[in-house]
Amino acid sequence: MPTKDRNLPSVVVRRENEVLMFDCGEGTQKQMVLSKIGFNKKMKIFITHMHGDHVLGLPGMLQSMSLLGRSKELDVYGPQGIRDFVESVNRTVQFQLVFPLRIREVGPGTVLDDAYYEIKAASANHVVPCLSYGLVEKPKPGRFNPKRAQTLGVPKGPLWKKLQLGQDVKIRGRIVKSSDVVGSPRPGAKLVYAVDTRPCSAVRRLAVNADLLIHDGSFDDSMRDKAKEYGHSTASEAASLGRQAKVKQLVLMHISAMYSNPRVLLRQARRIHRRTAIASDLMITEVKASN
Ligand SMILES: [Zn+2]
Ligand SMILES: [Zn+2]
């Protein structure tokens, strides 16, 4: 349920020139306007499960994208049922989509292997089939040091490119190694989005060493039985999982509407995982790879 201060779940990752959205609760498009994300970006959407609070924002957003004349294709990933959902709304409401929409029903495993990152899914433990997603960046090449290349006598041009690609070059009978001018590879960042789930081993494995874990923290510890019954987690359960998985930063999300002030959740979680925050609407966090 939305509250006076909180809307329904959606997380957007801005990565280079691409937008990766996780879930699309009702009202997400309004939040996109407020955060100036734009409706014609290169974009992919990942839906965790087919509960209304996670998907009902999708039809409205697709409609707006069409009205605004989106031209870029859009990929929607989700569990079984996502295709039927989008197609049946489109049949009755007739979005008249003006851009290519590709829907992919996916399960646990690697759901996307991009040149720079992978999206991995794990089976969450909820009352209906539900996926948690991990965005795992591939290591980035080391930084090229142009000054050093020049000092070593390599002129700017095609030889620089070779060095950047890891190849050694020969200049005036002398070998200049790529490793002389290019630093060691830099690790990529890892972000995991796991809402509407009990703490479970599949999510824990997915989250190992994540720079940011966004985890279900629907209830405080006194509501443990309710969390179990509805397939959610308490603040302490989320924090324990975050600690076991050695995540650098934990953000609790999907806070029950019964908490107008979620401070109690934060207190309970921080006893177990110090670097915990509570998600708030339009909150921005920079995710950096740790060395
Ligand atoms: Zn749910
Ligand atoms: Zn939910």
Coordinates of all heavy atoms in Angstrom, one line a residue, residues 49 51 53-54 126 196 232, ligand 1:
H49 N 8.1 -10.2 -9.5 CA 6.9 -11.2 -9.5 C 5.6 -10.5 -9.8 O 5.6 -9.2 -9.9 CB 6.9 -11.9 -8.1 CG 6.6 -11.0 -6.9 ND1 7.3 -9.8 -6.6 CD2 5.6 -11.0 -6.0 CE1 6.8 -9.3 -5.5 NE2 5.8 -9.9 -5.2
H51 N 2.9 -9.7 -8.4 CA 2.0 -9.0 -7.4 C 1.8 -7.6 -7.9 O 2.7 -6.9 -8.3 CB 2.5 -9.1 -6.0 CG 2.2 -10.4 -5.3 ND1 2.8 -10.8 -4.2 CD2 1.2 -11.3 -5.5 CE1 2.3 -11.9 -3.7 NE2 1.3 -12.3 -4.6
D53 N 1.6 -4.7 -6.6 CA 2.4 -3.6 -6.1 C 3.8 -3.5 -6.9 O 4.5 -2.5 -6.7 CB 2.6 -3.6 -4.6 CG 3.2 -4.9 -4.1 OD1 2.9 -6.0 -4.7 OD2 3.9 -4.9 -3.1
H54 N 4.1 -4.5 -7.7 CA 5.4 -4.5 -8.4 C 5.2 -4.4 -9.9 O 6.2 -4.1 -10.6 CB 6.1 -5.8 -8.1 CG 6.4 -5.9 -6.6 ND1 7.7 -5.7 -6.1 CD2 5.6 -6.2 -5.6 CE1 7.7 -5.8 -4.8 NE2 6.4 -6.1 -4.4
H126 N 9.0 -16.4 -1.6 CA 7.8 -15.6 -1.4 C 6.6 -16.5 -1.5 O 6.7 -17.7 -1.7 CB 7.8 -14.5 -2.4 CG 6.9 -13.3 -2.2 ND1 6.6 -12.8 -1.0 CD2 6.1 -12.6 -3.1 CE1 5.7 -11.8 -1.0 NE2 5.4 -11.7 -2.3
D196 N 10.3 -8.8 -1.4 CA 9.2 -9.8 -1.3 C 9.9 -11.2 -1.2 O 9.7 -12.0 -2.1 CB 8.3 -9.7 -2.5 CG 7.4 -8.5 -2.3 OD1 7.8 -7.5 -1.8 OD2 6.2 -8.5 -2.7
H232 N 7.7 -12.4 3.7 CA 8.6 -11.2 3.8 C 9.6 -11.4 4.8 O 9.8 -12.4 5.4 CB 7.7 -9.9 4.1 CG 6.9 -9.5 2.9 ND1 7.4 -9.0 1.7 CD2 5.5 -9.6 2.7 CE1 6.4 -8.8 0.9 NE2 5.2 -9.1 1.5
Ligands
ZN1 ZN 4.6 -9.9 -3.3

